[in-house]
Amino acid sequence: MKEIILIKNGELALKGLNRSVFEDKMIKNIRRRLADLGKVTFFKSQSTVTVYPDSEAFDLDEAVERIGKIFGIAAYSRAAVAPKDFEEIKRICPAYFAGSVYGCKTFKVEAKRSDKRFPLKSPEICRELGAVMLENYPFLKVDVHHPDLTITVEIRDKEAYIRGNQLKGAGGMPVGTSGKGAVLMSGGIDSPVAAYMMARRGLELCAVHFAAPPYTSELAENKVKLLTEKVAAYAGRVELYIVPFTKIQETIRDDCPEEYFTIIMRRLMMDIAGTIAAKHGARALITGESLGQVASQTLRALACTDDAAAYPVLRPLIGMDKNDIVEIARKIDTFETSILPYEDCCTVFTPKHPNTKPELENVVHAQQQVDWSEMIAQALEQTKVVVIG
Ligand code: ATP
Ligand code: MG
């Protein structure tokens, strides 16, 4: 049986030019995400995009799995293709649901006739197909208000599509429609969630990770790669920049006041991430910070961090509780990886008494006692890039 995928756009309020930019970007993203599965053709009509595999060998299960993670999609479903012959439709419809109908008690049939020349009117299609379903599956009952299964038959120009319940899409806006951002990616729970949330608002991502070998291990780096891969299932291709940060951190430990260790480290991270962002066309920095979570995430500390950032710092988790963040981390399958117990560079030289109310002026003064330019240049020069997704 020939099957296709029907996709409904999200953000339906978009109109005119915006809408076609949105839709074209969404199709481009879907095309790229399905490229290795085989050739497909796309058809656009109103707010539906039809994904039509060119060959029967196309792995539709995998395609559907991937489409569930592509932003900009409100809803999607697979559908059987039938010729525009009602006898054929009556034959294909019960056969198509043979694998899924046994979990349902109630159903209804809906018809959409975009080809008005089709000999049967919508109510007739519904009535007759309903009867065929009841004949084949006598345990079913019709419920027009809250059915377990809604069968929709669409009579299009050239053929008819038969589909069951729609699945909820990943929502948001197509990646790339909001520009590009650089996410500061630690190995923790928060930053992959922050990355996911900003990709959902249409940002294309690159990621910057600071590693401090030998204080942090190869395992920690692999963990960050794996987290980036999981984010890339939603965000598409992500370039991951791994910045060697050891020399800078040792200098902070040796030459800066202990109460400002973390805040100066975070300012230097912003500085370096900003340079990487600039080089790669990203115009925002993204972090997993949440107000009050740790000493470096108080209002005063955030102000000190912002001061060192060349671009707006987007903090989608700023007002969220840890529980809510964990819930999203589980949903996007990053949680189990995030809690693997490898050291992050942040936890290497943590001060015993961090200043939770740092004055910007004092922090800047302390930071200026060291000339960082050479160290920063060297870290940038030795930065590795890994392309993920
Ligand atoms: P996470 O769970 O993301 O590690 P956290 O609650 O542990 O966050 P911090 O360690 O203070 O918080 O880090 C705050 C934010 O700074 C992180 O969400 C991340 O965006 C960034 N960050 C921290 N460590 C690194 C790192 N090694 N490389 C890149 N970014 C980092
Ligand atoms: Mg962390």
Side-chain angles (χ1 to χ4, degrees), residues 186-189 191 344 346-347:
S186 69
I189 296 168
S191 40
D344 181 58
C346 278
T347 46

Side-chain angles (χ1 to χ4, degrees), residues 2-6 43 45 48-52 78-84 89 92 96 110-112 129 151-164:
K2 196 147 126 199
E3 257 193 303
I4 53 159
I5 303 170
L6 297 171
F43 298 106
S45 73
T48 306
V49 172
T50 307
V51 183
Y52 213 107
R78 40 207 297 171
V81 179
K84 278 166 56 175
I89 293 174
I92 290 172
Y96 187 52
E110 284 182 351
K112 290 184 183 166
L129 267 187
I151 297 174
T152 306
V153 182
E154 295 189 34
I155 311 290
R156 300 267 184 118
D157 266 1
K158 295 205 175 67
E159 26 188 35
Y161 300 150
I162 303 164
R163 65 171 163 83

